Amino acid sequence: MNDVLVLDRAATAAALDPHRLMAAVSEALVAVARGTVSAPPRTAAFAPGGLLGAMPGYVPGLGLAAKLVSVFADPARPGHSSHRGVVALFDPEDGRPLAFMDAEPVTAWRTAAAATHSALALARPGPVVVVGTGAQARAQVRLLAALRPAEPVTVAGRDRAAARALAALHPAGLAASLADAAESANGIEAAVRGAATVYCCTGATRPVLRRDWLAPGTHVSSVGGSHGPELDAGTVRDAALFAEWHGAADTPPPSGAHELQGLPEGRTVTLLGSVLSGEAPGRTSPDGLTVFKSTGHAALDVAAAYVVHRTTLGRPPE
């Protein structure tokens, strides 16, 4: 165990190279869709204030890892939640532990990468809005800043000061204005009405987006909602649906998505990896609504842990 890397939050975050991460997450999503990943549904133990989830997984070419992560409400920030834990990376040939790293940046950045892939594959050109001001929204804004620094991004949330601070992390970042906030109680409605892409990154317990706010052709990447639905039933009803894995609709929370439970018989959920590989169609109509509903998947943790490990050691991707 003496040669095992132990990385704190700062070291883990510093090793999450955005371009390497996007490539590895794409590889993992395609592997999930093709059925080459070994990963049981996420399990969780529930405590009075939150849950502790366990997510082991193996992805050919990327490795073997397991994550233990707690999801608890943050009493200092009502409506927000924290994701804390560890990711352990193992040698897939002999089982040796290779590295332990902080799970919070791994979770936030691999989730942002999957959401970004969904937008790149499914969204039409136009304004981009990030809804939320917590850790996941921060990772999303920072990833967009690294990948497309010239493309404006508007941040909307209940806390206008937090939205302004988050928008400042992007070279072309904007915060929903005070005038927008006057139009709707929290500024979110006015911000998303003109959006082509909406990244919804909240700790919602009830919907924060509504169908009648969304213009024709909008793409929604919904990655929050661990404690409840982030999208309303009308949005789910009218959208072409995409997810990381079929269990997003076929298993109950916490492994499945609140919004995708009880879909009508025959309703399809297309795997994002199948779209990325060209094996399934993405957007089929310029005016159609598309929704990527993320629940997280162990394969994405493996992808991020692979990037962290190789970047820390100064090794190129294999």
Side-chain angles (χ1 to χ4, degrees), residues 7-10 12-13 16 67-70 72 74 77 81-87 101-112 134-139 301 304 308:
L7 305 174
D8 64 12
R9 184 174 302 175
T12 301
L16 283 163
K67 182 170 73 175
L68 284 172
V69 62
S70 65
F72 278 66
D74 186 344
R77 299 184 305 154
S81 60
S82 63
H83 293 68
R84 301 186 181 95
V86 295
V87 176
M101 60 197 72
D102 192 293
E104 186 171 353
V106 166
T107 301
W109 280 78
R110 59 79 153 151
T111 303
Q136 187 57 56
R138 187 178 309 111
D301 297 312
V308 169

PDB file of all heavy atoms in Angstrom, residues 7-10 12-13 16 67-70 72 74 77 81-87 101-112 134-139 301 304 308:
ATOM      1  N   LEU A   7      -4.877  11.353  -2.968  1.00  0.00           N
ATOM      2  CA  LEU A   7      -5.052  12.704  -3.497  1.00  0.00           C
ATOM      3  C   LEU A   7      -6.180  13.423  -2.763  1.00  0.00           C
ATOM      4  O   LEU A   7      -7.304  12.903  -2.690  1.00  0.00           O
ATOM      5  CB  LEU A   7      -5.366  12.647  -4.991  1.00  0.00           C
ATOM      6  CG  LEU A   7      -4.351  11.886  -5.857  1.00  0.00           C
ATOM      7  CD1 LEU A   7      -4.844  11.768  -7.280  1.00  0.00           C
ATOM      8  CD2 LEU A   7      -3.002  12.563  -5.819  1.00  0.00           C
ATOM      9  N   ASP A   8      -5.893  14.604  -2.246  1.00  0.00           N
ATOM     10  CA  ASP A   8      -6.938  15.383  -1.603  1.00  0.00           C
ATOM     11  C   ASP A   8      -7.790  16.081  -2.663  1.00  0.00           C
ATOM     12  O   ASP A   8      -7.587  15.897  -3.883  1.00  0.00           O
ATOM     13  CB  ASP A   8      -6.349  16.374  -0.604  1.00  0.00           C
ATOM     14  CG  ASP A   8      -5.458  17.434  -1.253  1.00  0.00           C
ATOM     15  OD1 ASP A   8      -5.454  17.551  -2.501  1.00  0.00           O
ATOM     16  OD2 ASP A   8      -4.771  18.157  -0.502  1.00  0.00           O
ATOM     17  N   ARG A   9      -8.716  16.905  -2.213  1.00  0.00           N
ATOM     18  CA  ARG A   9      -9.650  17.521  -3.152  1.00  0.00           C
ATOM     19  C   ARG A   9      -8.934  18.391  -4.179  1.00  0.00           C
ATOM     20  O   ARG A   9      -9.233  18.332  -5.381  1.00  0.00           O
ATOM     21  CB  ARG A   9     -10.681  18.360  -2.391  1.00  0.00           C
ATOM     22  CG  ARG A   9     -11.754  18.973  -3.294  1.00  0.00           C
ATOM     23  CD  ARG A   9     -12.827  19.654  -2.481  1.00  0.00           C
ATOM     24  NE  ARG A   9     -13.442  18.712  -1.551  1.00  0.00           N
ATOM     25  CZ  ARG A   9     -14.351  19.055  -0.648  1.00  0.00           C
ATOM     26  NH1 ARG A   9     -14.734  20.303  -0.527  1.00  0.00           N
ATOM     27  NH2 ARG A   9     -14.870  18.130   0.157  1.00  0.00           N
ATOM     28  N   ALA A  10      -7.984  19.195  -3.724  1.00  0.00           N
ATOM     29  CA  ALA A  10      -7.290  20.098  -4.645  1.00  0.00           C
ATOM     30  C   ALA A  10      -6.490  19.321  -5.681  1.00  0.00           C
ATOM     31  O   ALA A  10      -6.495  19.651  -6.876  1.00  0.00           O
ATOM     32  CB  ALA A  10      -6.385  21.048  -3.865  1.00  0.00           C
ATOM     33  N   THR A  12      -6.988  16.214  -6.672  1.00  0.00           N
ATOM     34  CA  THR A  12      -7.916  15.513  -7.557  1.00  0.00           C
ATOM     35  C   THR A  12      -8.454  16.456  -8.615  1.00  0.00           C
ATOM     36  O   THR A  12      -8.458  16.149  -9.813  1.00  0.00           O
ATOM     37  CB  THR A  12      -9.079  14.908  -6.751  1.00  0.00           C
ATOM     38  OG1 THR A  12      -8.565  14.005  -5.772  1.00  0.00           O
ATOM     39  CG2 THR A  12     -10.036  14.159  -7.664  1.00  0.00           C
ATOM     40  N   ALA A  13      -8.916  17.619  -8.184  1.00  0.00           N
ATOM     41  CA  ALA A  13      -9.479  18.588  -9.124  1.00  0.00           C
ATOM     42  C   ALA A  13      -8.443  19.037 -10.141  1.00  0.00           C
ATOM     43  O   ALA A  13      -8.745  19.192 -11.334  1.00  0.00           O
ATOM     44  CB  ALA A  13     -10.040  19.788  -8.356  1.00  0.00           C
ATOM     45  N   LEU A  16      -8.023  16.694 -13.186  1.00  0.00           N
ATOM     46  CA  LEU A  16      -9.161  16.424 -14.061  1.00  0.00           C
ATOM     47  C   LEU A  16      -9.064  17.297 -15.311  1.00  0.00           C
ATOM     48  O   LEU A  16      -9.812  18.256 -15.492  1.00  0.00           O
ATOM     49  CB  LEU A  16     -10.475  16.668 -13.309  1.00  0.00           C
ATOM     50  CG  LEU A  16     -10.863  15.563 -12.328  1.00  0.00           C
ATOM     51  CD1 LEU A  16     -11.922  16.048 -11.348  1.00  0.00           C
ATOM     52  CD2 LEU A  16     -11.372  14.331 -13.093  1.00  0.00           C
ATOM     53  N   LYS A  67     -16.733   3.903  -5.878  1.00  0.00           N
ATOM     54  CA  LYS A  67     -16.967   5.173  -5.186  1.00  0.00           C
ATOM     55  C   LYS A  67     -17.898   4.964  -4.005  1.00  0.00           C
ATOM     56  O   LYS A  67     -18.907   4.260  -4.118  1.00  0.00           O
ATOM     57  CB  LYS A  67     -17.568   6.211  -6.137  1.00  0.00           C
ATOM     58  CG  LYS A  67     -17.786   7.576  -5.479  1.00  0.00           C
ATOM     59  CD  LYS A  67     -18.159   8.640  -6.497  1.00  0.00           C
ATOM     60  CE  LYS A  67     -19.573   8.473  -7.000  1.00  0.00           C
ATOM     61  NZ  LYS A  67     -19.961   9.577  -7.897  1.00  0.00           N
ATOM     62  N   LEU A  68     -17.539   5.559  -2.891  1.00  0.00           N
ATOM     63  CA  LEU A  68     -18.432   5.711  -1.747  1.00  0.00           C
ATOM     64  C   LEU A  68     -18.701   7.193  -1.609  1.00  0.00           C
ATOM     65  O   LEU A  68     -17.761   7.985  -1.434  1.00  0.00           O
ATOM     66  CB  LEU A  68     -17.788   5.181  -0.468  1.00  0.00           C
ATOM     67  CG  LEU A  68     -17.720   3.671  -0.278  1.00  0.00           C
ATOM     68  CD1 LEU A  68     -16.881   3.339   0.953  1.00  0.00           C
ATOM     69  CD2 LEU A  68     -19.114   3.075  -0.138  1.00  0.00           C
ATOM     70  N   VAL A  69     -19.961   7.592  -1.699  1.00  0.00           N
ATOM     71  CA  VAL A  69     -20.278   9.020  -1.664  1.00  0.00           C
ATOM     72  C   VAL A  69     -21.509   9.262  -0.811  1.00  0.00           C
ATOM     73  O   VAL A  69     -22.497   8.520  -0.879  1.00  0.00           O
ATOM     74  CB  VAL A  69     -20.488   9.576  -3.083  1.00  0.00           C
ATOM     75  CG1 VAL A  69     -21.659   8.907  -3.784  1.00  0.00           C
ATOM     76  CG2 VAL A  69     -20.647  11.084  -3.066  1.00  0.00           C
ATOM     77  N   SER A  70     -21.429  10.276   0.020  1.00  0.00           N
ATOM     78  CA  SER A  70     -22.587  10.682   0.819  1.00  0.00           C
ATOM     79  C   SER A  70     -23.255  11.873   0.156  1.00  0.00           C
ATOM     80  O   SER A  70     -22.589  12.756  -0.390  1.00  0.00           O
ATOM     81  CB  SER A  70     -22.156  11.051   2.246  1.00  0.00           C
ATOM     82  OG  SER A  70     -21.308  12.194   2.247  1.00  0.00           O
ATOM     83  N   PHE A  72     -25.921  14.652   1.318  1.00  0.00           N
ATOM     84  CA  PHE A  72     -26.621  15.206   2.465  1.00  0.00           C
ATOM     85  C   PHE A  72     -27.027  16.640   2.191  1.00  0.00           C
ATOM     86  O   PHE A  72     -26.318  17.375   1.481  1.00  0.00           O
ATOM     87  CB  PHE A  72     -25.730  15.178   3.719  1.00  0.00           C
ATOM     88  CG  PHE A  72     -25.710  13.855   4.438  1.00  0.00           C
ATOM     89  CD1 PHE A  72     -25.164  12.732   3.830  1.00  0.00           C
ATOM     90  CD2 PHE A  72     -26.241  13.727   5.700  1.00  0.00           C
ATOM     91  CE1 PHE A  72     -25.147  11.499   4.467  1.00  0.00           C
ATOM     92  CE2 PHE A  72     -26.240  12.501   6.361  1.00  0.00           C
ATOM     93  CZ  PHE A  72     -25.682  11.390   5.737  1.00  0.00           C
ATOM     94  N   ASP A  74     -27.282  20.501   2.856  1.00  0.00           N
ATOM     95  CA  ASP A  74     -26.324  21.427   3.449  1.00  0.00           C
ATOM     96  C   ASP A  74     -27.082  22.447   4.292  1.00  0.00           C
ATOM     97  O   ASP A  74     -27.725  23.337   3.747  1.00  0.00           O
ATOM     98  CB  ASP A  74     -25.537  22.132   2.339  1.00  0.00           C
ATOM     99  CG  ASP A  74     -24.410  22.999   2.874  1.00  0.00           C
ATOM    100  OD1 ASP A  74     -24.421  23.306   4.079  1.00  0.00           O
ATOM    101  OD2 ASP A  74     -23.544  23.398   2.085  1.00  0.00           O
ATOM    102  N   ARG A  77     -26.729  26.091   3.514  1.00  0.00           N
ATOM    103  CA  ARG A  77     -27.272  26.600   2.245  1.00  0.00           C
ATOM    104  C   ARG A  77     -28.569  25.854   1.947  1.00  0.00           C
ATOM    105  O   ARG A  77     -28.556  24.832   1.248  1.00  0.00           O
ATOM    106  CB  ARG A  77     -26.271  26.407   1.119  1.00  0.00           C
ATOM    107  CG  ARG A  77     -24.948  27.147   1.312  1.00  0.00           C
ATOM    108  CD  ARG A  77     -24.048  26.965   0.096  1.00  0.00           C
ATOM    109  NE  ARG A  77     -23.822  25.562  -0.213  1.00  0.00           N
ATOM    110  CZ  ARG A  77     -23.530  25.102  -1.424  1.00  0.00           C
ATOM    111  NH1 ARG A  77     -23.452  25.919  -2.447  1.00  0.00           N
ATOM    112  NH2 ARG A  77     -23.309  23.802  -1.612  1.00  0.00           N
ATOM    113  N   SER A  81     -27.262  20.590  -1.646  1.00  0.00           N
ATOM    114  CA  SER A  81     -26.784  19.356  -1.040  1.00  0.00           C
ATOM    115  C   SER A  81     -25.292  19.209  -1.300  1.00  0.00           C
ATOM    116  O   SER A  81     -24.734  19.826  -2.210  1.00  0.00           O
ATOM    117  CB  SER A  81     -27.527  18.139  -1.603  1.00  0.00           C
ATOM    118  OG  SER A  81     -27.342  18.033  -2.996  1.00  0.00           O
ATOM    119  N   SER A  82     -24.637  18.411  -0.471  1.00  0.00           N
ATOM    120  CA  SER A  82     -23.216  18.154  -0.623  1.00  0.00           C
ATOM    121  C   SER A  82     -23.004  16.708  -1.064  1.00  0.00           C
ATOM    122  O   SER A  82     -23.804  15.824  -0.750  1.00  0.00           O
ATOM    123  CB  SER A  82     -22.481  18.395   0.698  1.00  0.00           C
ATOM    124  OG  SER A  82     -22.934  17.485   1.689  1.00  0.00           O
ATOM    125  N   HIS A  83     -21.929  16.484  -1.823  1.00  0.00           N
ATOM    126  CA  HIS A  83     -21.536  15.146  -2.247  1.00  0.00           C
ATOM    127  C   HIS A  83     -20.099  14.936  -1.787  1.00  0.00           C
ATOM    128  O   HIS A  83     -19.172  15.521  -2.348  1.00  0.00           O
ATOM    129  CB  HIS A  83     -21.627  14.999  -3.770  1.00  0.00           C
ATOM    130  CG  HIS A  83     -23.011  15.066  -4.317  1.00  0.00           C
ATOM    131  ND1 HIS A  83     -23.761  16.230  -4.299  1.00  0.00           N
ATOM    132  CD2 HIS A  83     -23.795  14.111  -4.890  1.00  0.00           C
ATOM    133  CE1 HIS A  83     -24.934  15.990  -4.852  1.00  0.00           C
ATOM    134  NE2 HIS A  83     -24.988  14.719  -5.218  1.00  0.00           N
ATOM    135  N   ARG A  84     -19.912  14.121  -0.769  1.00  0.00           N
ATOM    136  CA  ARG A  84     -18.582  13.904  -0.207  1.00  0.00           C
ATOM    137  C   ARG A  84     -18.276  12.412  -0.177  1.00  0.00           C
ATOM    138  O   ARG A  84     -19.158  11.595   0.088  1.00  0.00           O
ATOM    139  CB  ARG A  84     -18.487  14.466   1.212  1.00  0.00           C
ATOM    140  CG  ARG A  84     -18.761  15.955   1.328  1.00  0.00           C
ATOM    141  CD  ARG A  84     -18.505  16.437   2.743  1.00  0.00           C
ATOM    142  NE  ARG A  84     -18.773  17.850   2.900  1.00  0.00           N
ATOM    143  CZ  ARG A  84     -19.913  18.351   3.340  1.00  0.00           C
ATOM    144  NH1 ARG A  84     -20.905  17.534   3.658  1.00  0.00           N
ATOM    145  NH2 ARG A  84     -20.077  19.657   3.453  1.00  0.00           N
ATOM    146  N   GLY A  85     -17.010  12.076  -0.417  1.00  0.00           N
ATOM    147  CA  GLY A  85     -16.651  10.669  -0.368  1.00  0.00           C
ATOM    148  C   GLY A  85     -15.297  10.416  -0.981  1.00  0.00           C
ATOM    149  O   GLY A  85     -14.477  11.325  -1.139  1.00  0.00           O
ATOM    150  N   VAL A  86     -15.058   9.156  -1.335  1.00  0.00           N
ATOM    151  CA  VAL A  86     -13.783   8.742  -1.899  1.00  0.00           C
ATOM    152  C   VAL A  86     -14.025   7.858  -3.117  1.00  0.00           C
ATOM    153  O   VAL A  86     -15.037   7.166  -3.217  1.00  0.00           O
ATOM    154  CB  VAL A  86     -12.927   7.975  -0.872  1.00  0.00           C
ATOM    155  CG1 VAL A  86     -12.536   8.875   0.285  1.00  0.00           C
ATOM    156  CG2 VAL A  86     -13.655   6.736  -0.366  1.00  0.00           C
ATOM    157  N   VAL A  87     -13.064   7.911  -4.032  1.00  0.00           N
ATOM    158  CA  VAL A  87     -13.029   6.984  -5.164  1.00  0.00           C
ATOM    159  C   VAL A  87     -11.738   6.197  -5.060  1.00  0.00           C
ATOM    160  O   VAL A  87     -10.650   6.787  -4.906  1.00  0.00           O
ATOM    161  CB  VAL A  87     -13.092   7.718  -6.515  1.00  0.00           C
ATOM    162  CG1 VAL A  87     -12.951   6.716  -7.666  1.00  0.00           C
ATOM    163  CG2 VAL A  87     -14.403   8.490  -6.649  1.00  0.00           C
ATOM    164  N   MET A 101      -8.866   8.977  -4.140  1.00  0.00           N
ATOM    165  CA  MET A 101      -9.033  10.390  -4.491  1.00  0.00           C
ATOM    166  C   MET A 101     -10.360  10.919  -3.963  1.00  0.00           C
ATOM    167  O   MET A 101     -11.262  10.150  -3.609  1.00  0.00           O
ATOM    168  CB  MET A 101      -8.942  10.583  -6.006  1.00  0.00           C
ATOM    169  CG  MET A 101      -9.991   9.823  -6.798  1.00  0.00           C
ATOM    170  SD  MET A 101      -9.569   9.682  -8.578  1.00  0.00           S
ATOM    171  CE  MET A 101      -8.218   8.499  -8.547  1.00  0.00           C
ATOM    172  N   ASP A 102     -10.459  12.236  -3.905  1.00  0.00           N
ATOM    173  CA  ASP A 102     -11.666  12.875  -3.393  1.00  0.00           C
ATOM    174  C   ASP A 102     -12.807  12.691  -4.387  1.00  0.00           C
ATOM    175  O   ASP A 102     -12.661  12.978  -5.582  1.00  0.00           O
ATOM    176  CB  ASP A 102     -11.398  14.363  -3.153  1.00  0.00           C
ATOM    177  CG  ASP A 102     -12.499  15.027  -2.360  1.00  0.00           C
ATOM    178  OD1 ASP A 102     -13.632  15.137  -2.877  1.00  0.00           O
ATOM    179  OD2 ASP A 102     -12.233  15.462  -1.226  1.00  0.00           O
ATOM    180  N   ALA A 103     -13.948  12.238  -3.903  1.00  0.00           N
ATOM    181  CA  ALA A 103     -15.069  11.944  -4.793  1.00  0.00           C
ATOM    182  C   ALA A 103     -15.829  13.179  -5.252  1.00  0.00           C
ATOM    183  O   ALA A 103     -16.499  13.131  -6.288  1.00  0.00           O
ATOM    184  CB  ALA A 103     -16.049  10.989  -4.101  1.00  0.00           C
ATOM    185  N   GLU A 104     -15.738  14.287  -4.503  1.00  0.00           N
ATOM    186  CA  GLU A 104     -16.563  15.442  -4.869  1.00  0.00           C
ATOM    187  C   GLU A 104     -16.200  16.016  -6.235  1.00  0.00           C
ATOM    188  O   GLU A 104     -17.077  16.173  -7.090  1.00  0.00           O
ATOM    189  CB  GLU A 104     -16.502  16.520  -3.789  1.00  0.00           C
ATOM    190  CG  GLU A 104     -17.463  17.667  -4.067  1.00  0.00           C
ATOM    191  CD  GLU A 104     -17.589  18.633  -2.902  1.00  0.00           C
ATOM    192  OE1 GLU A 104     -17.036  18.367  -1.828  1.00  0.00           O
ATOM    193  OE2 GLU A 104     -18.256  19.665  -3.068  1.00  0.00           O
ATOM    194  N   PRO A 105     -14.918  16.335  -6.514  1.00  0.00           N
ATOM    195  CA  PRO A 105     -14.625  16.824  -7.858  1.00  0.00           C
ATOM    196  C   PRO A 105     -14.810  15.759  -8.933  1.00  0.00           C
ATOM    197  O   PRO A 105     -15.217  16.069 -10.060  1.00  0.00           O
ATOM    198  CB  PRO A 105     -13.171  17.290  -7.770  1.00  0.00           C
ATOM    199  CG  PRO A 105     -12.611  16.637  -6.562  1.00  0.00           C
ATOM    200  CD  PRO A 105     -13.743  16.447  -5.618  1.00  0.00           C
ATOM    201  N   VAL A 106     -14.532  14.487  -8.600  1.00  0.00           N
ATOM    202  CA  VAL A 106     -14.764  13.416  -9.565  1.00  0.00           C
ATOM    203  C   VAL A 106     -16.232  13.380  -9.971  1.00  0.00           C
ATOM    204  O   VAL A 106     -16.578  13.356 -11.165  1.00  0.00           O
ATOM    205  CB  VAL A 106     -14.332  12.058  -8.979  1.00  0.00           C
ATOM    206  CG1 VAL A 106     -14.889  10.900  -9.816  1.00  0.00           C
ATOM    207  CG2 VAL A 106     -12.810  11.969  -8.911  1.00  0.00           C
ATOM    208  N   THR A 107     -17.135  13.400  -8.985  1.00  0.00           N
ATOM    209  CA  THR A 107     -18.568  13.333  -9.264  1.00  0.00           C
ATOM    210  C   THR A 107     -19.032  14.546 -10.056  1.00  0.00           C
ATOM    211  O   THR A 107     -19.762  14.425 -11.052  1.00  0.00           O
ATOM    212  CB  THR A 107     -19.357  13.241  -7.954  1.00  0.00           C
ATOM    213  OG1 THR A 107     -18.944  12.082  -7.229  1.00  0.00           O
ATOM    214  CG2 THR A 107     -20.858  13.154  -8.218  1.00  0.00           C
ATOM    215  N   ALA A 108     -18.627  15.721  -9.619  1.00  0.00           N
ATOM    216  CA  ALA A 108     -19.098  16.946 -10.264  1.00  0.00           C
ATOM    217  C   ALA A 108     -18.614  17.053 -11.708  1.00  0.00           C
ATOM    218  O   ALA A 108     -19.395  17.376 -12.621  1.00  0.00           O
ATOM    219  CB  ALA A 108     -18.648  18.161  -9.456  1.00  0.00           C
ATOM    220  N   TRP A 109     -17.337  16.747 -11.925  1.00  0.00           N
ATOM    221  CA  TRP A 109     -16.783  16.957 -13.258  1.00  0.00           C
ATOM    222  C   TRP A 109     -17.184  15.855 -14.233  1.00  0.00           C
ATOM    223  O   TRP A 109     -17.439  16.139 -15.417  1.00  0.00           O
ATOM    224  CB  TRP A 109     -15.260  17.079 -13.170  1.00  0.00           C
ATOM    225  CG  TRP A 109     -14.853  18.449 -12.737  1.00  0.00           C
ATOM    226  CD1 TRP A 109     -14.879  18.953 -11.476  1.00  0.00           C
ATOM    227  CD2 TRP A 109     -14.385  19.517 -13.570  1.00  0.00           C
ATOM    228  NE1 TRP A 109     -14.455  20.259 -11.462  1.00  0.00           N
ATOM    229  CE2 TRP A 109     -14.137  20.624 -12.732  1.00  0.00           C
ATOM    230  CE3 TRP A 109     -14.127  19.637 -14.929  1.00  0.00           C
ATOM    231  CZ2 TRP A 109     -13.665  21.840 -13.230  1.00  0.00           C
ATOM    232  CZ3 TRP A 109     -13.638  20.838 -15.422  1.00  0.00           C
ATOM    233  CH2 TRP A 109     -13.418  21.925 -14.577  1.00  0.00           C
ATOM    234  N   ARG A 110     -17.296  14.596 -13.785  1.00  0.00           N
ATOM    235  CA  ARG A 110     -17.731  13.570 -14.739  1.00  0.00           C
ATOM    236  C   ARG A 110     -19.188  13.761 -15.093  1.00  0.00           C
ATOM    237  O   ARG A 110     -19.616  13.501 -16.220  1.00  0.00           O
ATOM    238  CB  ARG A 110     -17.421  12.167 -14.233  1.00  0.00           C
ATOM    239  CG  ARG A 110     -18.028  11.716 -12.902  1.00  0.00           C
ATOM    240  CD  ARG A 110     -19.462  11.294 -12.988  1.00  0.00           C
ATOM    241  NE  ARG A 110     -19.837  10.335 -11.979  1.00  0.00           N
ATOM    242  CZ  ARG A 110     -21.070  10.231 -11.492  1.00  0.00           C
ATOM    243  NH1 ARG A 110     -22.028  11.074 -11.856  1.00  0.00           N
ATOM    244  NH2 ARG A 110     -21.334   9.282 -10.608  1.00  0.00           N
ATOM    245  N   THR A 111     -19.996  14.277 -14.137  1.00  0.00           N
ATOM    246  CA  THR A 111     -21.396  14.569 -14.430  1.00  0.00           C
ATOM    247  C   THR A 111     -21.502  15.718 -15.422  1.00  0.00           C
ATOM    248  O   THR A 111     -22.305  15.667 -16.369  1.00  0.00           O
ATOM    249  CB  THR A 111     -22.144  14.908 -13.137  1.00  0.00           C
ATOM    250  OG1 THR A 111     -22.013  13.827 -12.210  1.00  0.00           O
ATOM    251  CG2 THR A 111     -23.611  15.173 -13.399  1.00  0.00           C
ATOM    252  N   ALA A 112     -20.705  16.746 -15.216  1.00  0.00           N
ATOM    253  CA  ALA A 112     -20.698  17.872 -16.151  1.00  0.00           C
ATOM    254  C   ALA A 112     -20.262  17.430 -17.544  1.00  0.00           C
ATOM    255  O   ALA A 112     -20.790  17.903 -18.559  1.00  0.00           O
ATOM    256  CB  ALA A 112     -19.784  18.970 -15.627  1.00  0.00           C
ATOM    257  N   GLY A 134     -24.720  25.772  -7.021  1.00  0.00           N
ATOM    258  CA  GLY A 134     -23.945  24.926  -6.119  1.00  0.00           C
ATOM    259  C   GLY A 134     -22.743  24.305  -6.802  1.00  0.00           C
ATOM    260  O   GLY A 134     -22.294  24.737  -7.868  1.00  0.00           O
ATOM    261  N   ALA A 135     -22.210  23.248  -6.175  1.00  0.00           N
ATOM    262  CA  ALA A 135     -20.982  22.615  -6.655  1.00  0.00           C
ATOM    263  C   ALA A 135     -21.134  22.046  -8.055  1.00  0.00           C
ATOM    264  O   ALA A 135     -20.216  22.138  -8.880  1.00  0.00           O
ATOM    265  CB  ALA A 135     -20.556  21.523  -5.681  1.00  0.00           C
ATOM    266  N   GLN A 136     -22.283  21.427  -8.361  1.00  0.00           N
ATOM    267  CA  GLN A 136     -22.461  20.851  -9.688  1.00  0.00           C
ATOM    268  C   GLN A 136     -22.563  21.929 -10.757  1.00  0.00           C
ATOM    269  O   GLN A 136     -21.993  21.807 -11.842  1.00  0.00           O
ATOM    270  CB  GLN A 136     -23.699  19.957  -9.727  1.00  0.00           C
ATOM    271  CG  GLN A 136     -23.854  19.186 -11.028  1.00  0.00           C
ATOM    272  CD  GLN A 136     -22.645  18.327 -11.327  1.00  0.00           C
ATOM    273  OE1 GLN A 136     -22.259  17.493 -10.525  1.00  0.00           O
ATOM    274  NE2 GLN A 136     -22.026  18.525 -12.485  1.00  0.00           N
ATOM    275  N   ALA A 137     -23.287  23.004 -10.464  1.00  0.00           N
ATOM    276  CA  ALA A 137     -23.358  24.117 -11.412  1.00  0.00           C
ATOM    277  C   ALA A 137     -21.979  24.725 -11.622  1.00  0.00           C
ATOM    278  O   ALA A 137     -21.619  25.102 -12.750  1.00  0.00           O
ATOM    279  CB  ALA A 137     -24.340  25.166 -10.901  1.00  0.00           C
ATOM    280  N   ARG A 138     -21.189  24.811 -10.557  1.00  0.00           N
ATOM    281  CA  ARG A 138     -19.841  25.378 -10.676  1.00  0.00           C
ATOM    282  C   ARG A 138     -18.981  24.527 -11.608  1.00  0.00           C
ATOM    283  O   ARG A 138     -18.268  25.047 -12.477  1.00  0.00           O
ATOM    284  CB  ARG A 138     -19.197  25.467  -9.297  1.00  0.00           C
ATOM    285  CG  ARG A 138     -17.850  26.202  -9.286  1.00  0.00           C
ATOM    286  CD  ARG A 138     -17.282  26.306  -7.887  1.00  0.00           C
ATOM    287  NE  ARG A 138     -18.254  26.849  -6.948  1.00  0.00           N
ATOM    288  CZ  ARG A 138     -18.832  26.162  -5.964  1.00  0.00           C
ATOM    289  NH1 ARG A 138     -18.499  24.891  -5.777  1.00  0.00           N
ATOM    290  NH2 ARG A 138     -19.702  26.727  -5.177  1.00  0.00           N
ATOM    291  N   ALA A 139     -19.043  23.212 -11.454  1.00  0.00           N
ATOM    292  CA  ALA A 139     -18.278  22.332 -12.338  1.00  0.00           C
ATOM    293  C   ALA A 139     -18.744  22.474 -13.778  1.00  0.00           C
ATOM    294  O   ALA A 139     -17.932  22.482 -14.712  1.00  0.00           O
ATOM    295  CB  ALA A 139     -18.403  20.884 -11.873  1.00  0.00           C
ATOM    296  N   ASP A 301     -17.397   7.380 -13.161  1.00  0.00           N
ATOM    297  CA  ASP A 301     -16.397   7.518 -12.096  1.00  0.00           C
ATOM    298  C   ASP A 301     -15.102   6.834 -12.483  1.00  0.00           C
ATOM    299  O   ASP A 301     -14.007   7.344 -12.214  1.00  0.00           O
ATOM    300  CB  ASP A 301     -16.933   6.928 -10.788  1.00  0.00           C
ATOM    301  CG  ASP A 301     -18.159   7.652 -10.278  1.00  0.00           C
ATOM    302  OD1 ASP A 301     -18.145   8.889 -10.234  1.00  0.00           O
ATOM    303  OD2 ASP A 301     -19.134   6.969  -9.930  1.00  0.00           O
ATOM    304  N   ALA A 304     -13.302   9.132 -14.913  1.00  0.00           N
ATOM    305  CA  ALA A 304     -12.667  10.273 -14.260  1.00  0.00           C
ATOM    306  C   ALA A 304     -11.471   9.848 -13.428  1.00  0.00           C
ATOM    307  O   ALA A 304     -10.430  10.525 -13.424  1.00  0.00           O
ATOM    308  CB  ALA A 304     -13.686  11.009 -13.395  1.00  0.00           C
ATOM    309  N   VAL A 308      -7.611  11.153 -13.683  1.00  0.00           N
ATOM    310  CA  VAL A 308      -6.880  11.695 -12.528  1.00  0.00           C
ATOM    311  C   VAL A 308      -5.574  10.940 -12.320  1.00  0.00           C
ATOM    312  O   VAL A 308      -4.505  11.546 -12.127  1.00  0.00           O
ATOM    313  CB  VAL A 308      -7.757  11.634 -11.260  1.00  0.00           C
ATOM    314  CG1 VAL A 308      -6.923  11.928 -10.012  1.00  0.00           C
ATOM    315  CG2 VAL A 308      -8.904  12.616 -11.364  1.00  0.00           C
TER     316      VAL A 308
END
